[in-house]
Amino acid sequence: MSDDPSTDPVATAKKDLDLLMRAPPFSAISPKYIGREWQSCCVVSNLAYGKDQKYSGFSLDGDPHGWGVLEHHVGLTHSCGSWKHGVADGSGMLTTTTPPTALYGTWTNGTRVGFFALCKEGAMYIEEYSASGELLRRIKWRRDKLHKKCDRCSTLFIPSANTPDCSLCRYHPEEPDHNGTYACCGSMKVYNPRGCALTIHTVAESD
């Protein structure tokens, strides 16, 4: 489908989503988080939040609030620049590692609303959601030429969005011992397979 606004009714959405994908979902050092609204927030790391989930980022009274990333130990990661009292309420991305997918768009009070971009199996799709979060349609957009797959965590990422102030690669600095325990953090592989540290994604130069 063409990206020409005169012939493509979702051309504007495609343009906006293309820009969104190429930028980090948040910046931990952004001046937008300096102000009265954020004075009572604190930065947390690996905070248990929900079943088998950990949250890292700005928090208020134990809830995600501000920039941050919510991770599930099976490889699902939800990064958002605007959590509000525990739910995503702004632009961000949702990634999975099995299978590798990446979803970009804007959440409203925890619900997908409007147009989202989905990357899966080497292709890009446009998804449209109703105000209640119902998937209305999925349109084939283009072949994916932007994403790389991280060598450490197997997450799809776009190099231009892979910045130190938005580190999203979860890993263990050390290998587990014969009992399956990581010396770096003392956790067992069966309970914390994803990692205890965050850094930027990496990919072999030949890729």
Side-chain angles (χ1 to χ4, degrees), residues 11 44 66 105 152:
V44 299
R152 270 192 296 254

Side-chain angles (χ1 to χ4, degrees), residues 112-133:
R112 300 174 193 177
V113 176
F115 291 103
F116 279 68
L118 171 67
C119 175
K120 60 179 292 188
E121 300 174 346
M124 296 297 305
Y125 301 85
I126 296 294
E127 294 187 337
E128 184 179 7
Y129 291 85
S130 69
S132 61

Side-chain angles (χ1 to χ4, degrees), residues 131-165:
S132 61
E134 177 187 1
L135 178 60
L136 300 176
R137 57 176 170 162
R138 177 183 290 172
I139 306 168
K140 180 73 175 290
W141 182 7
R142 64 191 185 193
R143 179 183 176 188
D144 176 42
K145 297 182 180 180
L146 295 177
H147 290 83
K148 302 290 185 180
K149 185 177 178 181
C150 179
D151 291 335
R152 270 192 296 254
C153 68
S154 299
T155 298
L156 294 178
F157 72 97
I158 295 177
S160 62
N162 188 34
T163 62
D165 57 318

Side-chain angles (χ1 to χ4, degrees), residues 99-117:
T101 66
L103 180 73
Y104 304 83
T106 300
W107 280 258
T108 301
N109 195 27
T111 301
R112 300 174 193 177
V113 176
F115 291 103
F116 279 68

Side-chain angles (χ1 to χ4, degrees), residues 42-48 54-57 59 71 170 196-198:
C42 62
V43 176
V44 299
S45 179
N46 271 347
L47 173 71
K54 298 291 183 65
Y55 174 77
S56 299
S59 174
E71 304 168 88
R170 175 70 63 184
C196 60
L198 284 171

Side-chain angles (χ1 to χ4, degrees), residues 193-207:
R194 293 283 292 162
C196 60
L198 284 171
T199 187
I200 60 173
H201 295 299
T202 184
V203 66
E205 290 186 9
S206 59
D207 293 342

Side-chain angles (χ1 to χ4, degrees), residues 7-50:
T7 59
D8 183 359
V10 296
T12 299
K14 289 177 179 179
K15 180 180 178 181
D16 293 342
L17 288 168
D18 188 73
L19 292 173
L20 181 66
M21 290 189 295
R22 295 171 187 266
F26 62 80
S27 170
I29 59 174
S30 171
K32 69 177 287 185
Y33 301 112
I34 300 174
R36 182 174 300 177
E37 179 182 359
W38 312 107
Q39 288 180 354
S40 298
C41 294
C42 62
V43 176
V44 299
S45 179
N46 271 347
L47 173 71
Y49 195 80

